[in-house]
Amino acid sequence: MRNHRLPHLVATLNGDVVGYAYVVLFRKRPAYRFAVKHSIYIHHDHQGRGIGRLLLGELVDACAASGFRQMIGYIDADNGASLALHDKFGFARVGVLPGVAYRYGKWCDTVMVQRSLASGATAPPASVFSR
Ligand SMILES: CC(C)(COP(=O)(O)OP(=O)(O)OC[C@H]1O[C@@H](n2cnc3c(N)ncnc32)[C@H](O)[C@@H]1OP(=O)(O)O)[C@@H](O)C(=O)NCCC(=O)NCCS
C-alpha cells in the first residue's frame, strides 16, 4: 500500500487497536489513478467516542497529501451513523445501488458517497503524477 501511496491508518488506545481506515484504488485501470475507495471501521466497544471522526479526517488529509483527487465510499443505506459521519466531512450522496446486499434476511441498498480533494477535477494533476 505504501508503494502505491495508499494511506492506511490504525487507531490505538492503550496499545489496543480500536479502529482502522484505509483506501484502495477506486479502479485498477490507469485512468482512475487519482480516485480512491475508502473503508472505516471502529471496534463496537469504542464507537460514538470521536474515533471515526479523527480517522476519517486524517484519511482525507493523507489522501489529499498523496495527490489523490476523489474519495469514494459505499455505505449501507440503513447505516445512519456512517452516513452522518460522511455528511460531516463533505461527502455528497451521489447514487444509490438498490438491493445489492443481502443481510439479516433482506435485500439492502447501498449509498455511494464522494468528495473531491484539493482542487478536485477543476485543475490537471501535478506533473509528477500526470503521465
Ligand atoms: C460509522 C463509524 C465509522 C462512526 O465512527 P464513530 O467513532 O462511532 O463516530 P464518532 O464518535 O467519531 O462520531 C462522528 C460523527 O458520526 C456520526 N455518528 C456517529 N455515531 C452515530 C450514531 N449512532 N447515530 C447517528 N450519527 C452518528 C455523527 O455525525 C458524529 O458526529 P457528532 O458526534 O458531532 O454528532 C463507526 O460507528 C463504525 O465503525 N461502525 C461500524 C462499521 C461501519 O459502519 N463502518 C462504515 C462502513 S461504510
Side-chain angles (χ1 to χ4, degrees):
M1 286 193 165
R2 283 196 187 116
N3 288 343
H4 290 91
R5 310 181 276 123
L6 293 167
H8 191 144
L9 307 177
V10 175
T12 61
L13 185 66
N14 303 322
D16 292 329
V17 172
V18 294
Y20 61 85
Y22 67 92
V23 296
V24 296
L25 286 174
F26 173 58
R27 294 186 70 185
K28 287 185 179 155
R29 290 172 190 266
Y32 297 92
R33 65 196 179 282
F34 300 103
V36 286
K37 181 166 68 76
H38 69 282
S39 296
I40 179 166
Y41 286 92
I42 310 303
H43 188 285
H44 53 81
D45 289 343
H46 298 277
Q47 292 174 7
R49 299 179 184 174
I51 300 170
R53 189 186 313 119
L54 272 176
L55 274 179
L56 189 55
E58 289 290 329
L59 192 67
V60 166
D61 291 347
C63 288
S66 294
F68 294 110
R69 292 295 182 84
Q70 301 291 332
M71 271 179 88
I72 293 153
Y74 295 96
I75 303 174
D76 193 284
D78 292 334
N79 191 343
S82 187
L83 288 168
L85 173 66
H86 285 81
D87 286 347
K88 287 211 157 141
F89 279 89
F91 284 82
R93 300 179 189 189
V94 295
V96 176
L97 306 172
V100 288
Y102 188 77
R103 191 178 295 121
Y104 301 124
K106 65 167 185 158
W107 294 105
C108 305
D109 300 346
T110 291
V111 179
M112 188 177 186
V113 298
Q114 178 178 2
R115 67 157 281 172
S116 58
L117 304 169
S119 53
T122 65
S127 57
V128 65
F129 299 131
S130 64
R131 63 190 164 79

